Amino acid sequence: MTRWHDRRIQGTGVALAVAGALASGCNCGPGHPGSDGSGGSSTGDAPTSTAVTDPSASATSAAASTGPGSASSGEPPGTETTTGDSGDVPPWDGTDPSCGDGVAVSGIYCYGRVDLQLPNNPVALADFDADSHLDIMIGGYAIVFGDGTGAFSSPVDIPEPDEVPQLVSFTMVGEFDGQPGIDLLSAGSGGIAVQLNDGTGTAFDNVVVSEIPEVNLLDVVRAIRLDLDGDGVHDVLGTNSGAFDEAEPELQPLLNDGSGSFAATPPAMSHGEFGADLVAWVAELPPVGEAGPGAAILGTGNNQPIVDFPIVVARANGAGSATYTKVDHMGADARAIAAADLTGDGVVDLVVWNAGDGAFVVYQGNANGGFAPLATLAAESLCPGCPCQSCASPGASTLLGGDFDGDTTQDFIVRDNAVWVVLDPLGEASGVWLDDTWPGFIGDFNEDDVDDILTLQGELLLSAP
């Protein structure tokens, strides 16, 4: 069943919205799901089974065939509208009457939950069949194809070839051979294997294998796709989380020759130059001005006191490698980083979530590809009375940017032990808090120019103004 919500929490100055707890031990207050240990989220761990399905099967019944706009009354048939119980949220929380009229309103988040009933967890988004609609790749090498309305096909199994490494450290999707169709890349023991898409999204039989003995790919647990040499195909920047010798590479460019074959290329950034034990999170950056595409890379510590760690901005130099610039970070226990145009000037900014002090730090991007501190947004002063405000214990975090209320101003969503949706964080903002939600991916699945959220549990939060 689909539920349509709008939950707003007003703060003073810049407002912040917070979501309900996803773990026990949170100071949530009585009546909130999870405050007594019940109603908590699943862990989001991927099942290990492989989906084998009929490619000709029709769209699943769980898809949003009764999604936004399908009912003239403003509320889709078969949906349940929630009005907000006074016991589980502060008194100002509730359902806005404007939701369901088809008109997006700045600062009001309206959405519908749709269970896609995926057999495995989602792992990537791309247009695999080149029909201009977002598709979802799920664990177990299968794809569900989107039709642009929020509906999806049954999973189509993609055979896993023998060339794929037995021990895989990371996977990604991208344009690796310059031909139509998004390809699949797996790296680990034995090197890199690229499965080339034939353009239909259902056949990836041509496999290109690259052995890169000078790079321990099993230690590369996070990687970024970017075009290092400007040839129109994706290369890779690997982050080596096993590099504890200061001379070892921490950031390693891997150059694609245009066919899907990769080789290591200098200069790498050493562990000592990087200045942190581990890579906590990465955010892809588009080109700006004379600066090429790149990534913002957030460092973190390994079993040591955590205070400040640098942000490294890596940019493609157009000649097959990367340049590296450090941005000094402010705050305690930084857990996640996202890229979004929060100032509305057409240049991507950075926002960092500090779990240690419950604050967001915003760095404004400039036309040269650099970043400078702009604002520190403290949760306790921005969102008084929000549910689970004290849930800032260390743990894996997710920070994602997008426009969730349709006003063209970028917002962001963070998950730590609670989910916070921050709408228009630098302006007159309001927001929502979400139950039982682990956000994983952002995309416009129903193509209404408002971003939707795909959770790690395979639930789709479709925008529904």
Side-chain angles (χ1 to χ4, degrees):
M1 179 174 290
T2 308
R3 296 175 291 160
W4 304 94
H5 301 255
D6 166 63
R7 290 185 169 179
R8 298 184 299 163
I9 298 173
Q10 288 291 144
T12 57
V14 181
L16 200 63
V18 180
L22 297 184
S24 60
C26 178
N27 183 19
C28 302
H32 185 277
S35 61
D36 60 353
S38 65
S41 167
S42 63
T43 63
D45 295 335
T48 57
S49 60
T50 300
V52 180
T53 58
D54 179 4
S56 65
S58 61
T60 61
S61 60
S65 58
T66 59
S70 60
S72 59
S73 64
E75 180 177 318
T79 64
E80 176 186 354
T81 301
T82 61
T83 57
D85 295 327
S86 59
D88 67 356
V89 290
W92 51 81
D93 184 27
T95 299
D96 193 278
S98 70
C99 288
D101 65 2
V103 178
V105 178
S106 179
I108 297 178
Y109 179 44
C110 304
Y111 67 97
R113 288 184 182 267
V114 181
D115 185 357
L116 298 180
Q117 299 182 358
L118 301 177
N120 284 331
N121 297 74
V123 296
L125 301 183
D127 178 13
F128 291 102
D129 54 357
D131 66 351
S132 301
H133 305 311
L134 272 179
D135 311 310
I136 304 171
M137 185 176 183
I138 60 177
Y141 273 77
I143 296 173
V144 293
F145 295 96
D147 66 0
T149 69
F152 293 85
S153 72
S154 294
V156 177
D157 184 56
I158 306 300
E160 183 177 353
D162 295 336
E163 294 90 341
V164 171
Q166 290 186 347
L167 297 176
V168 175
S169 57
F170 71 90
T171 61
M172 63 170 48
V173 299
E175 297 178 358
F176 297 118
D177 65 348
Q179 301 300 314
I182 299 297
D183 310 307
L184 313 179
L185 182 151
S186 303
S189 60
I192 292 177
V194 176
Q195 298 168 246
L196 299 178
N197 187 345
D198 70 352
T200 67
T202 60
F204 297 81
D205 300 329
N206 188 9
V207 183
V208 179
V209 177
S210 307
E211 296 182 2
I212 311 177
E214 65 269 36
V215 179
N216 184 0
L217 290 170
L218 284 177
D219 285 337
V220 181
V221 295
R222 295 185 187 274
I224 306 103
R225 62 179 189 185
L226 70 167
D227 184 2
L228 292 170
D229 55 358
D231 64 354
V233 298
H234 282 128
D235 309 295
V236 173
L237 181 66
T239 68
N240 188 355
S241 289
F244 295 107
D245 185 320
E246 289 204 353
E248 287 186 60
E250 182 78 23
L251 305 179
Q252 175 64 64
L254 302 171
L255 184 64
N256 181 356
D257 67 1
S259 69
S261 179
F262 286 82
T265 181
M269 188 178 206
S270 72
H271 172 66
E273 293 169 323
F274 183 68
D277 291 340
L278 302 170
V279 172
W281 198 258
V282 297
E284 292 189 12
L285 299 173
V288 55
E290 297 296 322
I297 303 156
L298 178 64
T300 189
N302 182 43
N303 298 324
Q304 65 183 26
I306 298 173
V307 183
D308 297 326
F309 288 105
I311 301 167
V312 172
V313 175
R315 294 274 189 184
N317 65 5
S321 191
T323 61
Y324 309 100
T325 305
K326 282 190 176 181
V327 177
D328 290 331
H329 176 56
M330 302 175 296
D333 196 3
R335 289 285 165 171
I337 188 170
D341 180 13
L342 300 178
T343 58
D345 61 358
V347 179
V348 165
D349 310 303
L350 297 176
V351 58
V352 177
W353 164 238
N354 292 330
D357 52 19
F360 300 92
V361 181
V362 178
Y363 299 85
Q364 185 170 13
N366 61 43
N368 298 319
F371 298 91
L374 177 65
T376 297
L377 313 178
E380 65 271 14
S381 63
L382 298 176
C383 195
C386 293
C388 296
Q389 187 173 341
S390 62
C391 295
S393 61
S397 297
T398 299
L399 188 59
L400 301 167
D403 177 15
F404 304 117
D405 55 1
D407 63 356
T408 72
T409 299
Q410 290 285 288
D411 316 305
F412 60 84
I413 183 169
V414 63
R415 178 190 65 79
D416 197 298
N417 275 353
V419 176
W420 310 35
V421 178
V422 184
L423 300 175
D424 190 13
L426 298 179
E428 294 295 329
S430 60
V432 301
W433 64 275
L434 309 174
D435 296 330
D436 195 22
T437 301
W438 283 35
F441 303 91
I442 304 299
D444 186 5
F445 295 97
N446 55 0
E447 299 176 7
D448 63 351
D449 296 324
V450 183
D451 284 320
D452 311 303
I453 300 170
L454 177 64
T455 74
L456 297 179
Q457 304 106 309
E459 189 176 41
L460 187 60
L461 275 60
L462 277 178
S463 60

